[in-house]
Amino acid sequence: MTLFAWSEDRFLRYATAFFLVLWIACVGPVRTWATDVGIRSWWIFGVAPSLFAGITFATWQAVATRVSAWTAFAFGIA
């Protein structure tokens, strides 16, 4: 394993963890907060959890299969 591959793998692991936390936060506390404030009907609160779930899945697949982030992104788009 080269140093470049290790650093990219580390970046993908951190990105996966970060987007997983954002996904869980958007599904739980952020939705509750948006409901309390009265802005739950804004489209961003409906789209954000799905967006973060998709990004989490793509980065997790890049880590699990050891492909580049761009390859995982291309397969996700396809």
Side-chain angles (χ1 to χ4, degrees):
M1 180 189 289
T2 65
L3 182 62
F4 180 73
W6 182 81
S7 65
E8 183 176 333
D9 187 43
R10 184 179 64 187
F11 168 74
L12 285 174
R13 289 178 193 268
Y14 288 147
T16 302
F18 176 71
F19 285 113
L20 178 66
V21 168
L22 284 178
W23 176 25
I24 299 301
C26 282
V27 170
V30 173
R31 280 190 179 170
T32 304
W33 169 80
T35 302
D36 291 344
V37 175
I39 56 174
R40 176 71 169 87
S41 62
W42 290 6
W43 70 272
I44 192 70
F45 295 109
V47 173
S50 299
L51 174 71
F52 293 139
I55 294 171
T56 301
F57 180 71
T59 56
W60 175 255
Q61 289 302 313
V63 169
T65 59
R66 298 218 180 255
V67 297
S68 72
W70 293 109
T71 304
F73 179 72
F75 279 120
I77 294 295

